[in-house]
Amino acid sequence: MALEKLILSEIVKINVHEIPTGYKAFDWTVPMEWNIKDAFVENSSGERVIDFKNSNLHVIGYSVPFSGTISRDELLKHIITDPKNPDSIPYATSYYKEAWGFCLAHDDLYKLCDQKYNVSIDSSLSEGHLTYGEYLIPGLSSKEILISSNICHPSLANNEISGPIVSSFLAKHLLGVSGLKYSYRFVFVPETIGAIVFIHKNLCDLRKNVIAGYTVTCCGDRGPFSYLMSKHEHSLVNRITLHILRHTESDYKVYDFLERGSDERQYCSVGVDIGIGSLMRSKYARYKEYHNSSDNLSFISEDSMHGTLQKYIKCIEAIERNDCYISNNVCEPLLSKYSLYETTSTSVSGASSVDLINVLAFCDGEHDLLWIAERLQKPIWELYDAVDALKQNGLIRAAQ
Amino acid sequence: MALEKLILSEIVKINVHEIPTGYKAFDWTVPMEWNIKDAFVENSSGERVIDFKNSNLHVIGYSVPFSGTISRDELLKHIITDPKNPDSIPYATSYYKEAWGFCLAHDDLYKLCDQKYNVSIDSSLSEGHLTYGEYLIPGLSSKEILISSNICHPSLANNEISGPIVSSFLAKHLLGVSGLKYSYRFVFVPETIGAIVFIHKNLCDLRKNVIAGYTVTCCGDRGPFSYLMSKHEHSLVNRITLHILRHTESDYKVYDFLERGSDERQYCSVGVDIGIGSLMRSKYARYKEYHNSSDNLSFISEDSMHGTLQKYIKCIEAIERNDCYISNNVCEPLLSKYSLYETTSTSVSGASSVDLINVLAFCDGEHDLLWIAERLQKPIWELYDAVDALKQNGLIRAAQ
Amino acid sequence: MALEKLILSEIVKINVHEIPTGYKAFDWTVPMEWNIKDAFVENSSGERVIDFKNSNLHVIGYSVPFSGTISRDELLKHIITDPKNPDSIPYATSYYKEAWGFCLAHDDLYKLCDQKYNVSIDSSLSEGHLTYGEYLIPGLSSKEILISSNICHPSLANNEISGPIVSSFLAKHLLGVSGLKYSYRFVFVPETIGAIVFIHKNLCDLRKNVIAGYTVTCCGDRGPFSYLMSKHEHSLVNRITLHILRHTESDYKVYDFLERGSDERQYCSVGVDIGIGSLMRSKYARYKEYHNSSDNLSFISEDSMHGTLQKYIKCIEAIERNDCYISNNVCEPLLSKYSLYETTSTSVSGASSVDLINVLAFCDGEHDLLWIAERLQKPIWELYDAVDALKQNGLIRAAQ
């Protein structure tokens, strides 16, 4: 995580947690820490036909150390290729089964024409730590929005580093917003085990405080947006994100919760059950560059990441604004008293009196602004002026 | 209101309430009372080119007094025409901004060819009263149906006088019905301010007692029926009225609550929130004669008003009949014991035994007769005989 | 019932209840017992042109005794034929109106060409009993599934004897299933009055214990399946049966509760209100052999009855399996620890790890397995392996 920690900490100052090997988290245990110095396959001429130094994807993640001279047939049993993406090195790991091996572009198999190979994997598995980062932006309320991204796929761009990058810029953006209603907790965890450890250390608080959140991944490719639903259809994160997508994008894809695959698996699990969705570009496992060496920096673009960041900002703005309000009046107010009635085309507030009156009609303390926006068939942000005008003139108050 | 009071009081004896200028009702204040004796625009030949005596629409409602000789250009600043309806005098008011002016058919502008005009508006604004009428027909229950109509648009036919006329004949009809379950409260108010004052004086009772109601307007033109929904989709008035329209009309229009424009704005507002809809012919603001001199007696017909009255009667009959019933039996009763089983084609009750058994199956004290009618896909009135037969034979009782 | 009792008791040992004439059950009274020895119409040559010994359908059920010589015209007043099914003897009864008569194939009317006939109905109406059978298979829970069929239509095959036959074989099957969760109560009653008497003697227990059930009739013809809905749309029996049909049949028909006609009329009546549906082949009153002599053994087939039995077994298996479960874990479990994660194609449990994880995600104690199956868009039985694997590994428990 060294490089990522360095880069991200230029954006926001992340607190780093080190959890020792052997730590028990629910059904799981933090495993031995794996480190690797070098790995190669040398042919009989002494040439490195596979070299970890060229790409760290060449070694199956969590490979046990190995050294020896083996036959071509024996070597092939330890090599993974993906014939469907013949020019890319696949990404593979073997966390829960002791093994070693190499990953290779299928097209490069021809290089293995000798009968004997000198193989070396200079890795170590030893007591160590699982590392995760955490960053909190406190708001007026102890209620929290959780933003979780992963830091465990070395050298993969869209399905990995784009997530923590967009997360970090989102944090940076929110630091510049004054008077945030909610607190924002950013976590940067190795997928699955990292999320489980984080949940284990914070279960009560998460259950008590988190009202919505996202796992942020696959933010950088050039595809249209896609949204993976959180478990409960009518959760806040689902309602908000679908509303924003519906009113801003003509082409986007919604995936059922059954299609989940990242840490929303843990966040939405029965004992945790916080409403976490995932707003992405192309969904993991749905594009051919996924989990291979083609998911590299040329696959993602700054523009796409910026667009994704803006979409997250729009969603969070809507979450911040999404109060339930109560009218302070019986009957309609006399809008002209407050200069809120258009004598010509628009009122001084920027909101039309029709919107003001229609918003007011549903300020009954039971319907949130998002519900009202859906009822009025308008994007929620087109009602912000109306709400501000009504609040500033004492015509509504937030329900508690 | 003099003429209308006179005519309506021939039908039912309305109680007249006089609310003084300055009375505070929520966010509003009863304004000065406006009266007008005469108003005209005289050309240099002494001819009245605009004369209030010809049509009281010629003066902008609530015009302040004015008298003087002014230039054509100055006069035109005080004249309203509607180029889209060039042969009609538009209806205009200026309640909340001090002003004076005249309304004129656009086609008559050519008459204003002189350079100087003698203008007179002999109006007065002084302490006075807001007048509204109220009429109660008591029923067995203190629960009420509210029927509200407007008396503030002088000389307009469909969007005004048709409302109080149909209301009054509805009252007359209900006076002839014995054993009414609900009480019926008829009010005749100036739009908006009148409704707000009426609500202010009766808020607790309205909230406690009113279970449904209508604002009655636009009852007389020759168009098909339209219904403006009350705020809560499943309110009694919505359910009943849509059921009746669906089973009696092939061509009718339903308007969302967002399209509201009359006193349902106040009755359905957050602090009041009684379920008031509006059953109309052509909806206000949706026909070209709206708010101009073409909305006159030739635009409405006695037949249309009679048809509207009959529709209201059918709705109210359904509200009266719409009880929840409980079966007095376990299992089906032996219908032949009560001569309720058809040996040939129909039973003595006039209801088929299939209807009897099907109605009984849902007399569980939780579903009202309207629900049962919808469940049986029958008009509610086709079940009245079945309900009567079941009640008279002691097979069901009304739930309390 | 003698024959049927005999045959059925070869399958299961039914308890026979004899309820005396005059017993009051809610609105009904057990009538006099009707017995018949012989009945015929003899022409002037002494030939029996109608003979009860040829078919007991020839006599209107519950005919009072009669003997005498009558004219052809008089006789015809006592003869029922069905011109729409001219070659079949219709089935008719006259329970609640004192009468006598014969049923005849319309095509056989030509045989009545004499002017005088000797008519004899050697029947008796006397104090006796209503007979019904009952059979209980106790399960671990006192909660019951009720299986009700009819024994009152003599000589009719599909709309009668197929019901008790399938019922009895279902009982026999369940006797061979160990560890049944629910108790199964089978009743064999004359239609309507029998069900009413049975309900009257067991009302409290039925209301307390029965969670679902079926009236079993019309099980043997060669038509596709049809299902008559129980009263409450979301009742367990409706949900289960529609799920099974949807996932096993491409061609089946669903009838609304309003189309009911057998003892679900009583079981679903207001004071009883247990969720009883009916899974049939061709629904009674919807096929032309219904209630006439063409509904005979050649109209039904062993294959069809066997298929219906299998469908009932599949439904009951689903009811047995349809628990609510609670996850014993927070976060997903580490499936590989339990050998539940496929390293190649399937896990040792026979269930895919995707199914395991998806089932687990909804084991929140609030959603039953059927709900989960619908959510996963899978037949419930495809989840049984997953549930078993999760239970056996202590990952879920049944909610209480």
Side-chain angles (χ1 to χ4, degrees):
Chain A
M1 203 181 90
L3 179 65
E4 286 151 353
K5 206 189 317 183
L6 186 70
I7 294 173
L8 294 180
S9 58
E10 288 176 12
I11 306 172
V12 289
K13 183 78 200 128
I14 295 164
N15 296 316
V16 176
H17 299 260
E18 302 274 0
I19 311 298
T21 297
Y23 179 90
K24 307 258 181 231
F26 308 120
D27 206 33
W28 302 64
T29 306
V30 171
M32 303 290 258
E33 183 171 326
W34 181 68
N35 285 290
I36 183 160
K37 289 188 196 143
D38 196 10
F40 58 83
V41 172
E42 236 173 36
N43 65 12
S44 46
S45 321
E47 287 175 305
R48 291 194 168 188
V49 288
I50 305 176
D51 190 348
F52 176 72
K53 293 205 160 64
N54 292 335
S55 166
N56 53 20
L57 293 176
H58 274 315
V59 177
I60 293 178
Y62 229 70
S63 278
V64 295
F66 179 82
S67 174
T69 301
I70 59 175
S71 70
R72 183 176 184 274
D73 284 353
E74 185 61 24
L75 176 61
L76 287 177
K77 289 180 194 160
H78 292 267
I79 283 188
I80 292 172
T81 68
D82 179 4
K84 276 183 281 182
N85 290 302
D87 55 352
S88 301
I89 309 163
Y91 168 61
T93 61
S94 183
Y95 291 130
Y96 301 104
K97 193 184 161 198
E98 198 167 291
W100 66 264
F102 290 88
C103 298
L104 193 64
H106 195 72
D107 283 350
D108 287 341
L109 275 178
Y110 79 93
K111 296 179 182 172
L112 304 179
C113 44
D114 287 2
Q115 287 311 309
K116 291 278 174 191
Y117 291 91
N118 180 26
V119 172
S120 167
I121 296 185
D122 183 6
S123 67
S124 63
L125 275 168
S126 53
E127 305 267 323
H129 295 86
L130 175 154
T131 305
Y132 73 86
E134 189 175 14
Y135 184 70
L136 180 73
I137 303 177
L140 300 172
S141 160
S142 60
K143 293 294 172 194
E144 285 184 9
I145 311 303
L146 178 68
I147 307 292
S148 178
S149 56
N150 292 144
I151 44 166
C152 53
H153 293 33
S155 303
L156 296 178
N158 194 42
N159 182 28
E160 197 79 356
I161 195 62
S162 75
I165 289 176
V166 167
S167 268
S168 301
F169 277 97
L170 182 58
K172 193 178 173 194
H173 167 83
L174 290 172
L175 281 172
V177 176
S178 65
L180 284 173
K181 184 163 72 182
Y182 297 115
S183 299
Y184 290 80
R185 187 172 302 274
F186 291 80
V187 294
F188 303 87
V189 292
E191 204 169 18
T192 306
I193 180 69
I196 289 168
V197 165
F198 166 69
I199 290 167
H200 188 260
K201 294 189 88 72
N202 299 279
L203 184 59
C204 289
D205 286 345
L206 291 172
R207 291 175 59 119
K208 192 171 123 208
N209 293 330
V210 175
I211 62 163
Y214 295 94
T215 52
V216 182
T217 184
C218 299
C219 300
D221 69 276
R222 292 162 178 87
F225 284 100
S226 58
Y227 178 63
L228 179 95
M229 299 279 281
S230 86
K231 188 163 75 173
H232 301 290
E233 188 182 346
H234 301 293
S235 65
L236 178 59
V237 69
N238 285 353
R239 293 172 61 223
I240 288 281
T241 316
L242 294 176
H243 178 87
I244 300 289
L245 286 173
R246 191 159 52 240
H247 285 286
T248 57
E249 300 291 317
S250 57
D251 176 26
Y252 62 94
K253 195 157 171 41
V254 177
Y255 289 96
D256 189 86
F257 175 70
L258 297 177
E259 307 278 329
R260 72 199 180 284
S262 186
D263 289 336
E264 63 280 350
R265 290 166 60 176
Q266 313 308 328
Y267 295 125
C268 296
S269 69
V270 167
V272 190
D273 220 358
I274 52 182
I276 302 293
S278 188
L279 175 63
M280 293 166 276
R281 294 286 180 165
S282 299
K283 184 183 168 290
Y284 43 81
R286 294 285 181 138
Y287 56 93
K288 81 179 185 51
E289 294 82 358
Y290 172 72
H291 269 199
N292 65 53
S293 58
S294 299
D295 186 353
N296 55 32
L297 292 178
S298 70
F299 181 60
I300 63 176
S301 82
E302 206 182 309
D303 270 7
S304 283
M305 281 193 284
H306 186 258
T308 308
L309 174 64
Q310 292 308 315
K311 200 67 82 189
Y312 271 110
I313 289 172
K314 203 158 188 77
C315 289
I316 280 171
E317 183 187 37
I319 292 174
E320 286 275 322
R321 299 290 311 231
N322 187 40
D323 274 314
C324 287
Y325 294 99
I326 301 177
S327 168
N328 288 326
N329 269 72
V330 172
C331 293
E332 293 181 358
L334 178 53
L335 289 184
S336 54
K337 244 168 72 173
Y338 310 92
S339 303
L340 293 174
Y341 193 79
E342 310 89 317
T343 41
T344 53
S345 60
T346 55
S347 73
V348 294
S349 76
S352 78
S353 59
V354 169
D355 281 352
L356 289 164
I357 288 298
N358 281 341
V359 167
L360 255 178
F362 297 104
C363 286
D364 54 8
E366 286 170 27
H367 296 101
D368 60 19
L369 188 62
L370 180 60
W371 186 97
I372 296 176
E374 298 275 358
R375 179 68 183 81
L376 269 50
Q377 298 187 291
K378 295 212 159 195
I380 189 170
W381 58 87
E382 289 189 10
L383 302 180
Y384 296 161
D385 277 351
V387 167
D388 288 341
L390 291 168
K391 269 163 68 178
Q392 283 154 17
N393 286 285
L395 296 174
I396 58 172
R397 64 186 185 277
Q400 290 313 329
Chain B
M1 201 181 88
L3 179 65
E4 287 151 351
K5 207 191 312 185
L6 185 70
I7 294 174
L8 295 179
S9 58
E10 287 176 13
I11 306 173
V12 289
K13 182 80 200 125
I14 296 165
N15 295 317
V16 175
H17 299 260
E18 302 273 1
I19 311 300
T21 297
Y23 178 90
K24 306 258 180 231
F26 308 121
D27 205 34
W28 301 63
T29 305
V30 171
M32 304 289 258
E33 183 171 325
W34 182 68
N35 284 290
I36 183 162
K37 287 186 197 146
D38 196 10
F40 58 82
V41 173
E42 238 174 34
N43 65 11
S44 47
S45 320
E47 288 173 305
R48 291 193 168 189
V49 287
I50 305 175
D51 191 349
F52 175 73
K53 293 205 160 62
N54 291 336
S55 166
N56 50 22
L57 293 177
H58 274 316
V59 177
I60 293 177
Y62 229 69
S63 278
V64 295
F66 179 84
S67 176
T69 300
I70 59 174
S71 69
R72 184 175 183 273
D73 285 353
E74 185 61 24
L75 175 62
L76 287 177
K77 291 181 191 157
H78 291 267
I79 284 187
I80 293 172
T81 69
D82 179 3
K84 276 184 281 184
N85 290 303
D87 56 352
S88 301
I89 309 164
Y91 168 61
T93 61
S94 183
Y95 289 132
Y96 300 104
K97 192 183 161 198
E98 197 167 290
W100 65 264
F102 291 87
C103 299
L104 191 64
H106 195 74
D107 284 349
D108 287 342
L109 274 178
Y110 78 93
K111 294 180 182 172
L112 305 178
C113 44
D114 287 3
Q115 288 310 310
K116 291 277 174 192
Y117 291 91
N118 181 25
V119 172
S120 167
I121 296 185
D122 183 7
S123 68
S124 64
L125 275 167
S126 52
E127 304 267 323
H129 294 86
L130 176 153
T131 305
Y132 74 86
E134 190 176 13
Y135 183 71
L136 180 74
I137 302 178
L140 299 171
S141 159
S142 61
K143 294 292 172 195
E144 286 184 9
I145 311 302
L146 178 69
I147 308 291
S148 177
S149 56
N150 292 143
I151 44 165
C152 53
H153 294 31
S155 304
L156 296 178
N158 195 42
N159 181 27
E160 197 77 355
I161 195 62
S162 75
I165 290 175
V166 167
S167 268
S168 301
F169 276 98
L170 181 58
K172 193 179 173 192
H173 166 83
L174 290 172
L175 281 172
V177 176
S178 64
L180 283 173
K181 185 164 70 181
Y182 297 116
S183 298
Y184 291 81
R185 188 173 300 273
F186 291 80
V187 295
F188 304 87
V189 291
E191 204 168 17
T192 306
I193 181 69
I196 289 169
V197 164
F198 166 70
I199 290 168
H200 188 260
K201 295 188 87 72
N202 298 279
L203 183 61
C204 289
D205 286 345
L206 291 172
R207 290 176 59 119
K208 192 171 123 207
N209 293 329
V210 174
I211 62 162
Y214 296 95
T215 51
V216 181
T217 184
C218 299
C219 299
D221 69 276
R222 290 160 179 87
F225 283 101
S226 59
Y227 178 62
L228 179 96
M229 299 278 281
S230 85
K231 188 163 74 175
H232 300 290
E233 188 182 346
H234 302 293
S235 65
L236 179 59
V237 70
N238 284 353
R239 292 173 61 223
I240 287 281
T241 315
L242 294 175
H243 178 87
I244 299 289
L245 286 173
R246 190 160 52 241
H247 285 287
T248 56
E249 299 292 319
S250 58
D251 177 26
Y252 62 94
K253 194 157 173 41
V254 177
Y255 290 95
D256 188 85
F257 175 69
L258 297 178
E259 307 279 327
R260 72 199 180 284
S262 184
D263 288 336
E264 63 280 349
R265 290 167 58 176
Q266 314 309 328
Y267 294 127
C268 297
S269 68
V270 167
V272 190
D273 220 358
I274 53 183
I276 302 293
S278 188
L279 175 63
M280 295 165 276
R281 294 287 181 164
S282 299
K283 183 182 170 290
Y284 43 79
R286 293 286 182 136
Y287 56 93
K288 80 179 184 54
E289 294 81 358
Y290 171 74
H291 269 197
N292 66 54
S293 57
S294 299
D295 186 354
N296 55 33
L297 291 178
S298 70
F299 180 61
I300 64 176
S301 83
E302 207 182 309
D303 270 7
S304 283
M305 281 194 284
H306 186 257
T308 307
L309 174 65
Q310 292 307 314
K311 200 68 80 189
Y312 271 110
I313 288 172
K314 205 156 187 77
C315 290
I316 279 170
E317 182 186 38
I319 292 174
E320 286 277 321
R321 299 290 311 230
N322 187 40
D323 274 316
C324 286
Y325 294 99
I326 301 177
S327 168
N328 289 327
N329 269 72
V330 172
C331 293
E332 292 181 359
L334 179 51
L335 289 184
S336 55
K337 244 168 72 172
Y338 310 92
S339 303
L340 293 175
Y341 192 79
E342 310 89 319
T343 43
T344 53
S345 61
T346 55
S347 73
V348 295
S349 74
S352 78
S353 58
V354 170
D355 281 351
L356 289 164
I357 288 299
N358 280 342
V359 167
L360 255 177
F362 298 103
C363 287
D364 53 10
E366 286 170 27
H367 295 101
D368 60 19
L369 187 61
L370 180 61
W371 187 95
I372 296 175
E374 298 275 359
R375 179 69 183 80
L376 269 52
Q377 297 187 290
K378 296 211 158 196
I380 190 170
W381 58 88
E382 288 189 12
L383 301 180
Y384 296 161
D385 277 352
V387 167
D388 288 342
L390 292 169
K391 269 163 67 178
Q392 283 153 19
N393 286 285
L395 297 173
I396 58 172
R397 65 186 185 278
Q400 289 313 329
Chain C
M1 203 181 88
L3 180 65
E4 287 151 351
K5 209 190 312 184
L6 186 69
I7 294 174
L8 295 179
S9 58
E10 288 176 12
I11 306 172
V12 289
K13 183 78 199 128
I14 295 165
N15 296 316
V16 176
H17 298 260
E18 302 274 1
I19 311 300
T21 297
Y23 178 90
K24 305 258 182 231
F26 308 118
D27 204 34
W28 301 64
T29 306
V30 171
M32 304 289 259
E33 182 170 325
W34 181 67
N35 285 289
I36 182 160
K37 288 188 197 142
D38 196 10
F40 58 82
V41 173
E42 236 174 34
N43 65 12
S44 46
S45 321
E47 288 174 304
R48 291 194 169 188
V49 288
I50 306 177
D51 190 348
F52 175 73
K53 294 206 159 61
N54 292 337
S55 166
N56 52 20
L57 292 177
H58 274 316
V59 177
I60 293 177
Y62 230 69
S63 277
V64 296
F66 180 82
S67 175
T69 301
I70 60 174
S71 70
R72 182 175 185 275
D73 285 353
E74 186 61 23
L75 175 60
L76 287 177
K77 290 179 194 161
H78 291 268
I79 285 188
I80 292 172
T81 69
D82 178 4
K84 276 184 282 184
N85 290 302
D87 56 352
S88 302
I89 309 164
Y91 167 62
T93 61
S94 184
Y95 290 131
Y96 301 103
K97 192 184 161 197
E98 198 167 291
W100 66 263
F102 292 87
C103 298
L104 192 63
H106 194 73
D107 283 350
D108 287 343
L109 275 178
Y110 80 92
K111 295 182 182 171
L112 304 179
C113 43
D114 286 3
Q115 287 310 310
K116 289 278 175 193
Y117 291 91
N118 181 24
V119 173
S120 167
I121 297 185
D122 183 6
S123 68
S124 64
L125 275 168
S126 52
E127 305 266 325
H129 294 87
L130 175 153
T131 306
Y132 74 86
E134 190 176 14
Y135 184 70
L136 180 74
I137 303 178
L140 300 172
S141 160
S142 61
K143 293 293 171 194
E144 286 184 9
I145 311 302
L146 178 69
I147 308 292
S148 178
S149 57
N150 291 144
I151 44 165
C152 53
H153 294 32
S155 303
L156 297 179
N158 195 41
N159 182 26
E160 197 79 357
I161 195 61
S162 74
I165 290 176
V166 167
S167 268
S168 300
F169 276 97
L170 181 58
K172 194 179 173 193
H173 166 84
L174 290 173
L175 281 171
V177 176
S178 65
L180 283 173
K181 184 164 72 181
Y182 297 116
S183 298
Y184 291 80
R185 187 172 302 274
F186 291 81
V187 295
F188 303 89
V189 291
E191 204 169 17
T192 306
I193 180 69
I196 289 168
V197 164
F198 166 70
I199 290 168
H200 188 259
K201 294 189 88 71
N202 299 278
L203 183 60
C204 289
D205 286 345
L206 291 172
R207 290 175 58 118
K208 192 171 122 206
N209 293 330
V210 174
I211 61 162
Y214 295 95
T215 51
V216 181
T217 184
C218 300
C219 300
D221 69 277
R222 291 162 179 87
F225 284 101
S226 58
Y227 178 62
L228 179 95
M229 300 278 281
S230 85
K231 189 164 73 174
H232 301 290
E233 188 182 346
H234 301 293
S235 65
L236 179 59
V237 70
N238 285 353
R239 292 174 60 221
I240 287 283
T241 316
L242 294 176
H243 178 87
I244 299 289
L245 287 172
R246 191 160 52 240
H247 285 287
T248 56
E249 299 291 318
S250 57
D251 177 26
Y252 61 94
K253 194 156 171 44
V254 177
Y255 289 96
D256 188 86
F257 175 70
L258 297 179
E259 307 279 329
R260 73 200 179 283
S262 186
D263 288 336
E264 64 280 349
R265 289 167 57 176
Q266 314 309 327
Y267 295 125
C268 296
S269 69
V270 167
V272 190
D273 219 357
I274 52 183
I276 302 293
S278 188
L279 175 63
M280 294 165 276
R281 294 286 180 165
S282 299
K283 184 183 170 288
Y284 43 81
R286 294 285 182 137
Y287 56 92
K288 79 179 185 54
E289 294 81 359
Y290 171 73
H291 269 199
N292 65 53
S293 58
S294 299
D295 186 354
N296 55 33
L297 291 177
S298 70
F299 180 60
I300 64 176
S301 84
E302 208 182 307
D303 270 7
S304 282
M305 280 193 286
H306 186 258
T308 309
L309 174 63
Q310 292 309 313
K311 200 66 81 188
Y312 271 110
I313 289 172
K314 204 157 188 78
C315 290
I316 280 170
E317 184 187 36
I319 292 174
E320 285 277 321
R321 300 289 312 229
N322 187 40
D323 274 316
C324 286
Y325 294 100
I326 301 177
S327 168
N328 288 327
N329 270 72
V330 172
C331 292
E332 292 181 359
L334 178 53
L335 289 184
S336 55
K337 244 168 71 173
Y338 310 92
S339 303
L340 292 174
Y341 192 79
E342 311 89 316
T343 42
T344 53
S345 61
T346 55
S347 73
V348 296
S349 74
S352 78
S353 58
V354 170
D355 281 352
L356 289 165
I357 288 297
N358 280 343
V359 168
L360 255 177
F362 298 104
C363 286
D364 54 7
E366 287 170 28
H367 295 102
D368 60 18
L369 188 62
L370 180 61
W371 186 96
I372 296 176
E374 299 274 359
R375 179 68 183 80
L376 269 52
Q377 297 187 291
K378 294 211 158 197
I380 189 169
W381 58 87
E382 290 189 10
L383 302 180
Y384 295 161
D385 277 351
V387 167
D388 288 342
L390 292 169
K391 268 163 68 178
Q392 283 154 19
N393 286 285
L395 296 173
I396 58 172
R397 64 187 186 277
Q400 290 313 327

